[in-house]
Amino acid sequence: EIVMTQSPATLSVSPGERATLSCRASQSVSSNLAWYQQKPGQAPRLLIYGASTRATGIPARFSGSGSGTEFTLTISSLQSEDFAVYYCQQYNNWPPLTFGQGTRLEIK
Amino acid sequence: QITLKESGPTLVKPTQTLTLTCTFSGFSLSTSGVGVGWIRQPPGKALEWLALIYWDDDKRYSPSLKSRLTITKDTSKNQVVLTMTNMDPVDTATYYCAHTGKLWFDYWGQGTLVTVSS
């Protein structure tokens, strides 16, 4: 099973600043990685697939990068609606499909 | 417009079997490449993938839960059903169903909270 490790667990950033979230895979997942955003009481929302392709309707301030075992989600200028929990998910070696434990992005 | 909605009991007793139904619209599970998956999330914890069924009836399960899970589809009703046997309090979670084409989940249901308690 591929273990996905996200860091940091909590990230405090001011609105308008840049946020950088990390996801590491226990073995290579090539570019088969997705990112999701989840707000309290809501289902996850797909942001990025293929490590760097934005899903339909996702603003350009969200960008993904990386391949192999190291991945980054960058939010270039944080808006109030971006404060949420973010999860990465690998789909290279499965079953199982595996998610990271999440990074909580909070207002500084 | 793709939508999915989970339904089932909100409370089950330990050792009972849980049956959840995902009713969807806006796509067909007879279309090549389409799948529906189940993912759960214990309160305050991370997402955990459970099972996935494809348009061709190919089924995949989480290895750690495989012995307890069954996923089926009814294409005519636009439904996918997940059963989980021998429920335990640690299975208390919000259960989501979600649409997939290429193993990421692009449309999700609102989720249904299932509590396991006597």
Side-chain angles (χ1 to χ4, degrees), chain A residues 36 38 43 49 87 89 91 94, chain B residues 41 49 96 103-105 109:
Chain A
Y36 301 86
Q38 187 178 33
Y49 60 90
Y87 294 96
Q89 176 225 330
Y91 50 92
W94 76 294
Chain B
Q41 185 173 38
W49 173 74
Y96 296 99
L103 298 178
W104 60 82
F105 298 101

Side-chain angles (χ1 to χ4, degrees), chain B residues 1-110:
Chain B
Q1 178 192 4
I2 291 177
T3 64
L4 304 97
K5 187 173 184 179
E6 306 85 355
S7 58
T10 57
L11 180 65
V12 297
K13 290 180 167 45
T15 75
Q16 286 187 337
T17 294
L18 171 68
T19 299
L20 294 173
T21 300
C22 176
T23 303
F24 57 85
S25 63
F27 68 95
S28 171
L29 245 186
S30 59
T31 300
S32 177
V34 173
V36 171
W38 286 93
I39 303 100
R40 70 178 179 179
Q41 185 173 38
K45 296 188 177 181
L47 301 164
E48 178 185 17
W49 173 74
L50 301 176
L52 196 154
I53 189 165
Y54 280 108
W55 88 102
D56 60 356
D57 212 37
D58 185 16
K59 302 168 186 178
R60 305 295 175 97
Y61 297 99
S62 170
S64 64
L65 293 167
K66 186 174 183 177
S67 64
R68 299 173 54 204
L69 295 173
T70 303
I71 190 169
T72 60
K73 64 181 176 69
D74 186 330
T75 304
S76 65
K77 292 183 178 179
N78 281 352
Q79 290 181 334
V80 171
V81 174
L82 181 75
T83 61
M84 180 179 291
T85 61
N86 195 24
M87 293 292 284
D88 183 271
V90 300
D91 297 313
T92 293
T94 296
Y95 287 75
Y96 296 99
C97 63
H99 170 279
T100 181
K102 307 236 174 175
L103 298 178
W104 60 82
F105 298 101
D106 47 6
Y107 297 93
W108 294 64
Q110 63 191 24

Side-chain angles (χ1 to χ4, degrees), chain A residues 32-69:
Chain A
N32 295 315
L33 185 107
W35 288 95
Y36 301 86
Q37 176 193 67
Q38 187 178 33
K39 297 179 180 178
Q42 296 185 17
R45 172 195 182 196
L46 177 68
L47 298 175
I48 301 282
Y49 60 90
S52 61
T53 302
R54 278 189 302 277
T56 303
I58 301 303
R61 64 180 182 274
F62 290 91
S63 63
S65 63
S67 66
T69 62

